[in-house]
Amino acid sequence: MSRPLTVERLRLRRRLLFWLTLPIALFAIFWAFKFLSLAPTAQNAIDDYDDGLYVASEEASSSLLFLNVVEPYLPYFNRGDAYAADQYYGPATDDFEKALELAPLEKKCDVRLNLALTWERFGDVYVQLGYFQGAVQLYEASQAVLDDAGPECDPPPNQDELTESKD
Protein backbone atom coordinates (compact mmCIF):
# COMPACT_ATOMS: atom_id res chain seq x y z
CA MET A 1 0.00 0.00 0.00
CA SER A 2 1.28 3.48 -0.83
CA ARG A 3 1.76 6.09 1.78
CA PRO A 4 -0.42 9.17 1.57
CA LEU A 5 1.26 12.28 0.18
CA THR A 6 1.97 14.73 2.89
CA VAL A 7 2.61 18.39 2.37
CA GLU A 8 6.31 17.87 3.03
CA ARG A 9 6.56 15.07 0.45
CA LEU A 10 4.74 17.22 -2.11
CA ARG A 11 7.17 20.08 -1.52
CA LEU A 12 10.11 17.72 -1.86
CA ARG A 13 8.70 16.31 -5.10
CA ARG A 14 8.14 19.81 -6.51
CA ARG A 15 11.66 20.89 -5.59
CA LEU A 16 13.12 17.78 -7.19
CA LEU A 17 11.06 18.33 -10.35
CA PHE A 18 12.16 21.98 -10.49
CA TRP A 19 15.88 21.12 -10.24
CA LEU A 20 15.57 18.32 -12.77
CA THR A 21 13.82 20.45 -15.37
CA LEU A 22 15.83 23.66 -14.83
CA PRO A 23 18.82 22.59 -16.99
CA ILE A 24 16.48 21.51 -19.78
CA ALA A 25 14.62 24.83 -19.68
CA LEU A 26 17.87 26.83 -19.65
CA PHE A 27 19.21 24.77 -22.54
CA ALA A 28 16.04 25.41 -24.54
CA ILE A 29 16.13 29.15 -23.80
CA PHE A 30 19.79 29.38 -24.83
CA TRP A 31 19.22 27.64 -28.17
CA ALA A 32 16.06 29.62 -28.87
CA PHE A 33 17.97 32.86 -28.34
CA LYS A 34 20.88 31.57 -30.41
CA PHE A 35 18.69 30.59 -33.37
CA LEU A 36 16.62 33.78 -33.23
CA SER A 37 19.73 35.97 -33.16
CA LEU A 38 21.54 34.32 -36.11
CA ALA A 39 19.65 35.97 -38.97
CA PRO A 40 19.65 39.56 -37.62
CA THR A 41 23.33 39.36 -36.73
CA ALA A 42 24.24 37.94 -40.14
CA GLN A 43 22.19 40.65 -41.85
CA ASN A 44 23.95 43.25 -39.71
CA ALA A 45 27.32 41.91 -40.88
CA ILE A 46 26.18 42.06 -44.51
CA ASP A 47 24.80 45.59 -44.13
CA ASP A 48 28.04 46.77 -42.50
CA TYR A 49 30.02 45.25 -45.36
CA ASP A 50 27.79 46.93 -47.95
CA ASP A 51 28.24 50.26 -46.15
CA GLY A 52 32.04 49.88 -46.19
CA LEU A 53 32.24 49.29 -42.44
CA TYR A 54 34.55 46.31 -42.76
CA VAL A 55 35.74 46.20 -39.14
CA ALA A 56 32.15 46.19 -37.90
CA SER A 57 31.33 43.46 -40.41
CA GLU A 58 34.32 41.41 -39.17
CA GLU A 59 33.13 41.76 -35.57
CA ALA A 60 29.54 40.81 -36.38
CA SER A 61 30.71 37.79 -38.37
CA SER A 62 33.05 36.76 -35.56
CA SER A 63 30.16 36.78 -33.10
CA LEU A 64 28.43 34.15 -35.26
CA LEU A 65 31.29 31.64 -34.99
CA PHE A 66 30.30 30.36 -31.55
CA LEU A 67 28.15 27.22 -31.80
CA ASN A 68 26.87 27.92 -35.28
CA VAL A 69 25.28 24.64 -36.29
CA VAL A 70 23.01 26.02 -39.01
CA GLU A 71 25.58 27.24 -41.56
CA PRO A 72 28.98 26.91 -39.92
CA TYR A 73 30.91 28.03 -43.01
CA LEU A 74 29.05 31.31 -43.47
CA PRO A 75 30.60 33.39 -40.66
CA TYR A 76 34.08 32.45 -41.89
CA PHE A 77 33.07 33.30 -45.45
CA ASN A 78 31.58 36.68 -44.50
CA ARG A 79 34.47 37.56 -42.23
CA GLY A 80 36.92 36.57 -44.97
CA ASP A 81 35.11 38.92 -47.35
CA ALA A 82 35.38 41.76 -44.84
CA TYR A 83 39.07 41.07 -44.20
CA ALA A 84 39.80 40.96 -47.94
CA ALA A 85 37.89 44.20 -48.56
CA ASP A 86 39.93 45.80 -45.76
CA GLN A 87 43.11 44.40 -47.39
CA TYR A 88 43.95 41.99 -44.54
CA TYR A 89 44.71 39.18 -46.95
CA GLY A 90 46.40 36.80 -44.49
CA PRO A 91 43.40 36.50 -42.15
CA ALA A 92 41.08 36.51 -45.16
CA THR A 93 42.75 33.46 -46.70
CA ASP A 94 42.67 31.69 -43.33
CA ASP A 95 38.93 32.29 -43.05
CA PHE A 96 38.23 31.26 -46.63
CA GLU A 97 40.19 28.03 -46.14
CA LYS A 98 38.17 27.25 -43.02
CA ALA A 99 34.96 28.11 -44.87
CA LEU A 100 35.99 25.78 -47.70
CA GLU A 101 36.33 22.91 -45.21
CA LEU A 102 32.88 23.55 -43.74
CA ALA A 103 30.92 24.63 -46.82
CA PRO A 104 28.31 22.36 -48.37
CA LEU A 105 29.09 21.14 -51.87
CA GLU A 106 26.83 23.68 -53.59
CA LYS A 107 28.64 26.60 -51.88
CA LYS A 108 32.25 25.43 -52.29
CA CYS A 109 32.66 27.14 -55.66
CA ASP A 110 31.79 30.55 -54.20
CA VAL A 111 34.30 30.03 -51.41
CA ARG A 112 36.97 28.81 -53.85
CA LEU A 113 36.50 31.83 -56.05
CA ASN A 114 36.89 34.26 -53.15
CA LEU A 115 39.91 32.35 -51.83
CA ALA A 116 41.61 32.37 -55.24
CA LEU A 117 40.87 36.07 -55.70
CA THR A 118 42.29 36.85 -52.27
CA TRP A 119 45.50 34.91 -53.02
CA GLU A 120 45.75 36.87 -56.27
CA ARG A 121 45.28 40.24 -54.55
CA PHE A 122 47.86 39.18 -51.98
CA GLY A 123 50.21 38.47 -54.88
CA ASP A 124 49.53 41.93 -56.31
CA VAL A 125 50.67 43.46 -53.01
CA TYR A 126 53.88 41.42 -53.21
CA VAL A 127 54.49 42.71 -56.77
CA GLN A 128 54.02 46.31 -55.60
CA LEU A 129 56.58 45.71 -52.86
CA GLY A 130 59.02 44.11 -55.30
CA TYR A 131 58.79 40.57 -53.86
CA PHE A 132 58.36 38.89 -57.21
CA GLN A 133 59.19 35.32 -56.16
CA GLY A 134 56.65 35.52 -53.33
CA ALA A 135 54.09 36.93 -55.75
CA VAL A 136 54.64 34.00 -58.11
CA GLN A 137 54.00 31.58 -55.24
CA LEU A 138 50.82 33.41 -54.28
CA TYR A 139 49.59 33.41 -57.88
CA GLU A 140 50.34 29.67 -58.06
CA ALA A 141 48.37 29.15 -54.84
CA SER A 142 45.46 31.03 -56.42
CA GLN A 143 45.58 28.85 -59.52
CA ALA A 144 45.87 25.68 -57.41
CA VAL A 145 42.67 26.57 -55.55
CA LEU A 146 40.83 26.82 -58.86
CA ASP A 147 42.50 23.70 -60.29
CA ASP A 148 41.40 21.67 -57.25
CA ALA A 149 37.77 22.54 -57.88
CA GLY A 150 35.48 19.62 -58.41
CA PRO A 151 32.20 19.36 -60.27
CA GLU A 152 30.68 22.04 -58.02
CA CYS A 153 32.49 24.68 -60.10
CA ASP A 154 31.60 23.32 -63.53
CA PRO A 155 29.53 25.84 -65.45
CA PRO A 156 25.98 24.81 -66.21
CA PRO A 157 25.54 23.37 -69.69
CA ASN A 158 24.63 25.91 -72.33
CA GLN A 159 21.06 25.40 -73.57
CA ASP A 160 22.12 26.02 -77.21
CA GLU A 161 24.72 23.24 -76.99
CA LEU A 162 22.15 20.84 -75.57
CA THR A 163 19.72 21.61 -78.40
CA GLU A 164 22.40 21.14 -81.08
CA SER A 165 23.60 17.85 -79.63
CA LYS A 166 20.04 16.42 -79.75
CA ASP A 167 19.70 17.16 -83.49
Side-chain angles (χ1 to χ4, degrees), residues 106-139:
E106 64 273 5
K107 298 295 183 180
K108 284 191 184 288
C109 191
D110 295 337
V111 178
R112 277 187 188 284
L113 185 61
N114 283 16
L115 177 58
L117 185 58
T118 302
W119 279 122
E120 189 175 318
R121 287 182 181 170
F122 210 176
D124 293 344
V125 171
Y126 270 54
V127 167
Q128 290 173 353
L129 296 173
Y131 301 125
F132 301 111
Q133 187 60 34
V136 167
Q137 291 177 343
L138 291 168
Y139 292 141

Side-chain angles (χ1 to χ4, degrees), residues 55-66:
V55 173
S57 180
E58 293 163 16
E59 292 170 356
S61 295
S62 294
S63 72
L64 293 170
L65 294 174
F66 178 69

Side-chain angles (χ1 to χ4, degrees), residues 56-120:
S57 180
E58 293 163 16
E59 292 170 356
S61 295
S62 294
S63 72
L64 293 170
L65 294 174
F66 178 69
L67 293 176
N68 190 338
V69 296
V70 178
E71 291 179 311
Y73 82 98
L74 201 52
Y76 290 103
F77 182 76
N78 289 343
R79 191 172 70 173
D81 279 341
Y83 279 139
D86 213 12
Q87 298 180 355
Y88 291 118
Y89 299 120
T93 56
D94 292 343
D95 278 351
F96 286 136
E97 287 173 351
K98 184 66 175 175
L100 189 57
E101 290 174 21
L102 299 172
L105 188 61
E106 64 273 5
K107 298 295 183 180
K108 284 191 184 288
C109 191
D110 295 337
V111 178
R112 277 187 188 284
L113 185 61
N114 283 16
L115 177 58
L117 185 58
T118 302
W119 279 122
E120 189 175 318

